């Protein structure tokens, strides 16, 4: 989420500043990357459950993805409702 904000990516509003309550950082993680991410916490899942365009297999909150070198090249897309 911070990488998106720092690079003015449209569609990532991050209204709550990364507190896992707004879902305005909702992204789809490409499926082959999903297994490399730390699984969504219960709080993240509750917030995602209220999201428009939820895709249980790919939806994540960008603010909960901690970028590491292992995620270099990570590809995400925005739900249609955020484009
Ligand atoms: S910035 Fe609000 S849930 Fe991610």
């Amino acid at each position: 989420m911070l990488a998106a904000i720092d690079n003015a990516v449209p569609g990532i509003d991050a209204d709550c500043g990364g507190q896992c309550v707004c879902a305005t950082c909702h992204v789809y993680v490409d499926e082959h990357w999903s297994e490399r991410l730390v699984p969504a916490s219960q709080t993240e899942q509750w917030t995602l459950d209220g999201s428009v365009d939820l895709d249980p297999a790919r939806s994540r909150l960008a603010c909960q993805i901690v970028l590491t070198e292992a995620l270099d090249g990570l590809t995400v897309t925005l739900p249609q409702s955020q484009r």
Side-chain angles (χ1 to χ4, degrees):
M1 176 274 283
L2 291 175
I5 296 296
D6 288 348
N7 290 285
V9 174
I12 300 291
D13 295 338
D15 290 342
C16 75
Q19 297 302 305
C20 200
V21 295
C22 72
T24 59
C25 66
H26 181 196
V27 294
Y28 296 141
V29 175
D30 285 3
E31 291 182 29
H32 68 279
W33 285 99
S34 294
E35 62 194 39
R36 298 188 199 187
L37 301 181
V38 173
S41 68
Q42 192 169 37
T43 301
E44 180 180 358
Q45 196 57 57
W46 284 334
T47 301
L48 280 168
D49 285 346
S51 300
V52 176
D53 296 331
L54 177 68
D55 179 337
R58 299 184 300 146
S59 288
R60 293 298 303 262
L61 297 177
C63 69
Q64 301 302 300
I65 299 172
V66 178
L67 293 179
T68 64
E69 286 188 25
L71 296 179
D72 187 21
L74 174 69
T75 303
V76 301
T77 54
L78 293 176
Q80 186 66 36
S81 62
Q82 291 173 233
R83 294 181 198 163

